[in-house]
């Protein structure tokens, strides 16, 4: 699933292609894609794209006249830009026709189709209204982060991926952040010391900015189809040596999602109790 670094690069690479272009038409090609009804999709016609940016895991288009279009790519969606003359395929769930002869399309292969879109008259509407703090924004202060985690009887990984608390971090980058902070994903937030909270707070923007730079270096100006994750240090590397200490990377299922970690660097003395790990450890190191 695209996370904050992926969407930052997608927005940056798409913007030069489409900002200031006028929309000639918009069409949802899968019945479940469009989640809003007011304003109607026809309201996009004749408006220009003023800006493209990201909020949480949503790709946002600011249109003239105060409208916003939000897209969530879910697990397998991606954005395509190219000539309108090329017909839409069965994988195309949404298309915007521009005045320069090109389309913006949301593509999702396979079934079920999970990508979703909203046409909004305000950013306070729809799925954006309940999002948490932006981890790369000025509002992400140590004081605010400490208020989010302090005293919580939840595992810290679950806090990092809770979009109502911190917007944009998912399974992959929560693993990378915890590796950078040298904290076990199974620690409960209320057990963190003030020094550990600060270390985790510093790791979050550091890892996200590093990832944006690494992705950009690999994909350039392309609109890539799959997430670029080849540079990650622990996520997706179960059984391979830790880049710090050479201990084999461990992996368990935590709440149904793969969690990767270095048992040594992250001080994982024991795995979660039954119920916290489904299927047991794949690699314990």
């Amino acid at each position: 699933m695209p996370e904050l670094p992926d969407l930052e690069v997608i927005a940056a690479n798409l913007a030069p292609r489409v900002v200031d272009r006028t929309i000639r038409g918009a069409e949802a090609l899968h019945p479940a894609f469009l989640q809003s009804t007011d304003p109607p999709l026809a309201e996009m016609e004749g408006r220009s794209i003023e800006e493209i940016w990201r909020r949480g895991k949503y790709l946002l288009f600011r249109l003239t006249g105060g409208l916003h279009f939000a897209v969530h790519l879910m697990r397998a969606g991606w954005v395509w830009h190219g000539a309108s003359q090329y017909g839409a395929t069965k994988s195309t769930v949404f298309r915007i026709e521009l005045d320069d002869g090109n389309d913006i399309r949301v593509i999702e292969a396979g079934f079920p189709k999970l990508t979703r879109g909203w046409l909004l008259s305000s950013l306070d509407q729809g799925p954006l209204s309940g999002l948490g703090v932006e981890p790369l924004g000025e509002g992400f202060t140590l004081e605010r982060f400490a208020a989010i985690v302090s005293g919580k009887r939840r595992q810290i990984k679950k806090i990092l991926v809770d979009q109502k608390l911190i917007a944009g971090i998912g399974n992959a980058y929560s693993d990378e952040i915890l590796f950078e902070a040298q904290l076990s994903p199974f620690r409960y937030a209320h057990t963190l010391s003030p020094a550990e909270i600060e270390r985790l707070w510093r790791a979050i923007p550091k890892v996200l900015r590093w990832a944006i730079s690494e992705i950009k270096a690999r994909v350039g100006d392309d609109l890539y189809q799959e997430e670029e994750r080849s540079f990650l240090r622990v996520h997706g590397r179960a059984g391979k040596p830790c880049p710090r200490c050479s201990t084999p990377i461990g992996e368990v299922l935590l709440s149904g999602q793969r969690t990767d970690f270095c048992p040594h660097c992250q001080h994982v003395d024991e795995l979660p109790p039954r119920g916290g790990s489904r299927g047991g450890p794949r690699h314990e190191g």
Side-chain angles (χ1 to χ4, degrees):
M1 177 183 290
E3 299 182 27
L4 184 155
D6 307 295
L7 290 165
E8 285 284 342
V9 175
I10 291 170
N13 288 357
L14 181 60
R17 294 169 162 88
V18 303
V19 167
D20 295 330
R21 305 294 352 159
T22 298
I23 296 172
R24 296 181 59 184
E27 180 182 13
L29 300 174
H30 189 275
F33 176 79
L34 189 64
Q35 296 291 294
S36 60
T37 57
D38 185 23
L41 198 58
E43 285 292 314
M44 295 182 72
E45 297 178 17
R47 299 177 189 264
S48 296
I49 299 172
E50 293 185 325
E51 183 183 5
I52 298 176
W53 81 107
R54 174 206 58 80
R55 172 76 170 104
K57 295 182 182 180
Y58 295 86
L59 189 65
L60 300 179
F61 297 73
R62 188 194 314 276
L63 310 180
T64 52
L67 290 188
H68 299 85
F69 187 66
V71 177
H72 197 303
L73 296 174
M74 299 301 287
R75 291 189 178 276
W78 58 285
V79 178
W80 180 89
H81 175 265
S84 302
Q85 67 183 22
Y86 297 116
T89 68
K90 292 181 179 180
S91 297
T92 305
V93 296
F94 183 76
R95 66 183 290 264
I96 296 173
E97 183 183 359
L98 302 175
D99 63 348
D100 63 351
N102 288 310
D103 277 5
I104 304 168
R105 299 180 189 175
V106 178
I107 310 293
E108 184 179 14
F111 293 94
K113 304 293 188 188
L114 300 175
T115 51
R116 297 291 184 262
W118 295 259
L119 184 60
L120 306 170
S121 56
S122 169
L123 292 179
D124 295 328
Q125 296 177 319
L128 305 178
S129 61
L131 292 179
V133 63
E134 280 289 336
L136 296 183
E138 293 182 358
F140 189 63
T141 62
L142 176 57
E143 292 74 19
R144 185 163 184 179
F145 181 66
I148 290 172
V149 301
S150 295
K152 297 287 194 309
R153 293 184 177 273
R154 296 180 68 187
Q155 289 169 326
I156 51 179
K157 172 160 180 168
K158 293 181 181 179
I159 289 177
L160 291 178
V161 301
D162 188 336
Q163 300 304 299
K164 294 180 180 179
L165 299 176
I166 305 170
I169 301 170
N171 194 42
Y173 287 104
S174 60
D175 284 352
E176 295 297 312
I177 288 165
L178 290 167
F179 176 74
E180 175 66 26
Q182 299 184 47
L183 292 170
S184 167
F186 315 121
R187 283 277 300 275
Y188 281 78
H190 72 279
T191 70
L192 296 178
S193 69
E196 288 174 323
I197 290 174
E198 181 172 356
R199 195 164 78 226
L200 181 56
W201 170 70
R202 292 186 184 279
I204 291 171
K206 179 180 179 180
V207 167
L208 296 175
R209 290 192 174 100
W210 164 73
I212 292 168
S213 176
E214 291 290 333
I215 294 170
K216 186 67 175 175
R218 286 162 171 77
V219 306
D221 296 328
D222 291 342
L223 292 174
Y224 52 103
Q225 182 174 348
E226 296 182 358
E227 296 96 346
E228 173 54 65
R229 301 277 168 83
S230 62
F231 58 91
L232 297 185
R233 297 172 293 181
V234 289
H235 187 80
R237 299 188 70 250
K240 297 180 180 178
C242 169
R244 282 201 192 111
C245 71
S246 299
T247 299
I249 298 298
E251 180 177 280
V252 300
L253 286 179
L254 183 64
S255 299
Q257 289 194 317
R258 181 176 68 188
T259 294
D260 296 326
F261 55 92
C262 173
H264 179 264
C265 294
Q266 294 176 249
H267 314 290
V268 179
D269 298 322
E270 59 182 27
L271 295 175
R274 290 183 180 180
S277 171
R278 295 199 304 172
R282 177 175 164 186
H283 295 280
E284 293 186 33

